[in-house]
Amino acid sequence: MLKTYAYPKFPYRVSAEQRDGRVARHPVVVIGAGPIGLTAALEFGRRGISTVVLDDNDTVSIGSRAVCYAKRPLEIWNRLGCAAPMVAKGVSWKVGKVFFENDLRYGFDLLPEADHEMPAMINLQQYHLEEMIIAECGTLPNVDIRWKHKLISLRQEPDHVVLTVETPDGVFTLEADWVVACDGANSDTREMVGAAFTGQAFQDRFLIADVVMKADFPTERWFWFDPPFHRNQSTLLHKQADDVWRIDFQLGWDADPVEEKKPEKVIPRLKAMLGEDTEFELEWVSIYQFACRRIDRFRHGRVLFAGDAAHQVSPFGARGANTGVQDIDNLGWKLKLVVDGTAPETLIDSYDEERAFAADDNLRQSTRSTDFITPKSDMSRRFRNAVLELAADNPFARPLVNSGRLSTPTPYVASSLNTPDADAFAGRMAPGTNCADAPVTVGGEPSWLLHHLGEGFTVLTFGTAPAKTVACGPIEAKVLAIGGDLVDVEGLVAERYDGRPGTTYLIRPDQHVAARWRTFDAETIAGAVARACVLGGAAR
Amino acid sequence: MSLNLEPNIPDPDGFYQELIDSQRDMSDAEAQMMNCRLILILANHVGDRDVLREALKVAGGRID
């Protein structure tokens, strides 16, 4: 097994604090070095927060697992400096095909808007992705990833958390001002704080296999309902890097998870699908069942939850890791302002407000896909099949086909951090929305708009900038003129942001719109910064 | 627009006969599949979500 990839083994090192037997206090401790915990370490480190990561293992994800990464997380990793190798190694795709029984019924194109730096979607094995983030973390002196460190208990004090950790050298204690738990769907940290994790579990099992083969399937997402090679169930095929293909078989609830994992059971299923003559090797197999669940609150005192530890979705739509990365995008700048004492602790509550809102949206979408893919009654199966039968010849039925709605960001439309529009705007860039990318030039050199957003608060103004910065108490927002600092070479910034001379946007450090106006007014902008940071009157 | 529950079909006996005849040679399973297709086709024709929701309710469906 595992012919195309050698798993790295990261060295365990005893920490100075454990060796010396002293209790150290850290600003932030992240639990779990999966894609979300590692992204958190990189995000916090880049923003200047010293971060310790504890992971009970010493390698990357076993098997391809998450696989599909969408544009928004790629933009976040691009801001953090590690998207280029992911895009280079990953397989970019945009066409999906849906088969029912013997026939192609429906094809879709993600139709990514042109002129964005990042592709709509890439497929990449989770282990490659984790290795790339770990490599990037290695360039930051303030990120300390500690392998073979298992959290065994946790106690909350009013202004810090006490963590008991086990390593090959025994048990020791450390303290953290904040803990960010990214320890997955079966989060021990969640148990330790006594948080509820409720929702819907689905009575179904899936076999997922990584298969190495030279195949001439196109680089598309193929989804089969009730195919002749796997009757009454669904199958999904995805291409990944290194000629590794990911194949998911729905097995039904009665399947025996131990038996079904055996190669002598898996290989005949693959042969039925791929043909007797196709040469392939099985790299990795796993059986899982899924659930749509969410934690009661993303914040429990000084313990914050992100990724699958906070929300678990069914895999259709690639909403797990993609949403988790956006949790961290949302949390990083807030934690920085709070750790520095610039913003009050209540800013962290907006992390729960905004990301619970996004999680609920994801859970709704994911539950709907699951109900379509795995009908719960004979009658719902008939309706599902009727949709699929009609889709081939009747355009009206195609939007009803739901083989997974692929992950897109959830705008924080109702967030208390937004300053509601007072002026009229067309287009999508309402407060709470993540900024659309667009090509620009800077000093004649080609660049992308998103490269210039995200360090702190940024004011984008179309035309002449009346000031270089806008100050709001201790927070200073940099002003960028579209048409001065950044040249809108193709007119797409103006188009995507409904920009006219004077139009001004306040952009949060996570590249989301906080507020927008038709004129530049420093005092109004400062007010919107204060609102987005929950600053009281005194700071303004 | 609201759901029209007043008589709206010209030649009601003719329509009813056509409906029954259309399924005369089908097994129950085939007829059930046809009913599903028919519901989807008609629902798309109506389009209006409020009208569709009202129809689901009048038909005895559960609406949360």
Side-chain angles (χ1 to χ4, degrees):
Chain A
M1 298 265 264
L2 294 159
K3 317 283 187 301
T4 64
Y5 183 72
Y7 284 84
K9 198 170 163 64
F10 301 111
Y12 160 74
R13 290 193 192 91
V14 64
S15 60
E17 61 201 84
Q18 183 177 14
R19 191 188 53 223
D20 302 345
R22 66 189 158 79
V23 176
R25 172 80 67 92
H26 303 278
V28 174
V29 170
V30 173
I31 312 298
I36 310 309
L38 292 167
T39 301
L42 192 54
E43 165 82 31
F44 303 157
R46 281 252 186 272
R47 293 211 185 271
I49 309 171
S50 286
T51 303
V52 171
V53 183
L54 306 178
D55 191 90
D56 57 2
N57 209 331
D58 61 355
T59 187
V60 290
S61 146
I62 304 298
S64 61
R65 295 174 72 184
V67 178
C68 298
Y69 300 99
K71 176 158 66 188
R72 182 56 198 157
L74 290 170
E75 287 171 351
I76 294 165
W77 284 316
N78 204 28
R79 176 170 62 73
L80 297 175
C82 61
M86 296 173 184
V87 174
K89 178 90 183 167
V91 173
S92 176
W93 64 275
K94 63 193 182 74
V95 171
K97 290 202 174 132
V98 176
F99 299 81
F100 177 50
E101 298 176 332
N102 292 297
D103 306 310
L104 172 66
R105 299 297 174 132
Y106 167 60
F108 64 85
D109 190 323
L110 296 175
L111 281 179
E113 191 175 61
D115 297 304
H116 287 242
E117 185 180 13
M118 289 294 128
M121 196 68 92
I122 64 163
N123 291 351
L124 183 65
Q125 294 93 315
Q126 186 173 322
Y127 43 77
H128 285 312
L129 180 115
E130 289 180 5
E131 240 190 307
M132 289 165 183
I133 307 176
I134 290 165
E136 194 62 31
C137 283
T139 67
L140 298 180
N142 60 356
V143 171
D144 179 1
I145 305 177
R146 299 183 183 179
W147 306 102
K148 292 276 178 202
H149 280 60
K150 182 179 169 56
L151 176 67
I152 53 176
S153 74
L154 173 157
R155 190 179 80 240
Q156 298 223 42
E157 297 293 333
D159 66 344
H160 69 282
V161 185
V162 182
L163 304 159
T164 308
V165 174
E166 188 175 35
T167 73
D169 283 296
V171 172
F172 77 108
T173 299
L174 76 169
E175 295 176 353
D177 292 336
W178 296 92
V179 170
V180 180
C182 308
D183 49 348
N186 300 316
S187 170
D188 288 335
T189 317
R190 202 177 53 220
E191 293 286 311
M192 290 173 195
V193 303
F197 193 54
T198 53
Q200 187 180 2
F202 294 95
Q203 303 235 312
D204 210 337
R205 294 185 206 279
F206 283 75
L207 169 76
I208 54 180
D210 282 345
V211 172
V212 193
M213 61 177 174
K214 299 271 188 210
D216 49 11
F217 292 109
T219 307
E220 298 172 350
R221 175 188 195 261
W222 283 17
F223 195 102
W224 286 266
F225 290 98
D226 196 7
F229 56 82
H230 191 52
R231 288 313 327 208
N232 297 317
Q233 306 285 8
S234 65
T235 303
L236 176 64
L237 174 73
H238 258 309
K239 187 180 187 179
Q240 310 178 72
D242 309 324
D243 289 316
V244 177
W245 297 73
R246 167 70 168 273
I247 303 173
D248 295 17
F249 291 105
Q250 183 190 5
L251 295 179
W253 182 237
D254 297 332
D256 178 339
V258 179
E259 274 300 305
E260 291 292 345
K261 255 180 94 161
K262 292 180 176 166
E264 59 264 35
K265 287 285 282 184
V266 178
I267 286 169
R269 289 194 190 285
L270 290 165
K271 286 198 167 198
M273 175 184 180
L274 302 168
E276 281 294 323
D277 302 330
T278 304
E279 281 188 43
F280 64 85
E281 286 185 75
L282 199 53
E283 272 209 323
W284 170 72
V285 178
S286 177
I287 302 268
Y288 69 97
Q289 63 188 90
F290 51 73
C292 289
R293 295 187 284 194
R294 154 155 115 65
I295 197 167
D296 47 6
R297 284 171 286 123
F298 281 47
R299 177 181 179 190
H300 278 254
R302 290 184 161 251
V303 181
L304 311 170
F305 291 85
D308 283 4
H311 41 73
Q312 188 183 10
V313 293
S314 73
F316 305 106
R319 290 171 179 273
N322 283 317
T323 338
V325 173
Q326 293 168 74
D327 290 342
I328 298 306
D329 185 42
N330 186 286
L331 179 59
W333 65 275
K334 295 175 181 175
L335 204 50
K336 170 66 176 166
L337 288 174
V338 171
V339 165
D340 287 353
T342 309
E345 222 180 280
T346 49
L347 179 59
I348 299 295
D349 294 329
S350 73
Y351 168 64
D352 174 71
E353 179 193 340
E354 295 184 331
R355 293 312 298 169
F357 179 77
D360 287 344
D361 181 38
N362 277 298
L363 285 162
R364 188 164 44 245
Q365 302 258 12
S366 171
T367 302
R368 287 172 172 180
S369 299
T370 309
D371 282 341
F372 192 87
I373 292 162
T374 69
K376 305 296 176 288
S377 69
D378 285 345
M379 210 57 216
S380 58
R381 178 177 294 274
R382 285 193 182 94
F383 270 116
R384 198 278 307 276
N385 290 352
V387 167
L388 292 167
E389 284 174 13
L390 289 166
D393 296 323
N394 300 282
F396 90 83
R398 291 170 199 158
L400 297 173
V401 175
N402 190 342
S403 67
R405 302 279 180 229
L406 294 164
S407 174
T408 50
T410 304
Y412 311 133
V413 284
S415 171
S416 61
L417 304 188
N418 296 343
T419 297
D421 281 340
D423 302 327
F425 278 89
R428 288 198 314 106
M429 287 299 124
T433 308
N434 64 297
C435 289
D437 204 359
V440 294
T441 60
V442 180
E445 294 297 316
S447 181
W448 294 94
L449 176 62
L450 291 186
H451 285 218
H452 306 277
L453 308 175
E455 249 175 64
F457 279 86
T458 308
V459 178
L460 277 186
T461 189
F462 289 77
T464 316
K468 283 279 165 212
T469 57
V470 173
C472 171
I475 298 170
E476 195 166 80
K478 171 182 68 175
V479 179
L480 290 177
I482 303 292
D485 304 294
L486 309 177
V487 177
D488 187 13
V489 264
E490 314 225 8
L492 289 170
V493 183
E495 189 182 307
R496 288 172 187 169
Y497 290 77
D498 187 20
R500 305 175 207 149
T503 297
T504 299
Y505 278 76
L506 175 66
I507 312 294
R508 304 180 351 177
D510 57 5
Q511 301 176 331
H512 282 63
V513 175
R516 55 182 180 173
W517 307 271
R518 287 299 182 189
T519 51
F520 185 108
D521 179 79
E523 202 175 319
T524 311
I525 297 168
V529 173
R531 186 179 176 119
C533 299
V534 203
L535 300 183
R540 295 163 65 178
Chain B
M1 192 170 88
S2 64
L3 181 67
N4 184 0
L5 292 171
E6 294 304 315
N8 192 37
I9 302 175
D11 181 17
D13 290 349
F15 163 72
Y16 195 78
Q17 184 184 352
E18 222 163 60
L19 177 66
I20 300 304
D21 283 352
S22 75
Q23 302 188 329
R24 193 174 294 283
D25 299 324
M26 290 182 188
S27 68
D28 278 356
E30 287 167 336
Q32 277 174 337
M33 273 312 293
M34 181 191 140
N35 286 350
C36 289
R37 289 192 293 268
L38 185 65
I39 288 167
L40 293 166
I41 290 163
L42 295 178
N44 181 68
H45 185 82
V46 172
D48 188 315
R49 285 288 308 281
D50 292 335
V51 174
L52 291 170
R53 196 173 301 112
E54 212 183 324
L56 289 173
K57 214 184 303 174
V58 172
R62 180 181 133 183
I63 299 291
D64 291 325

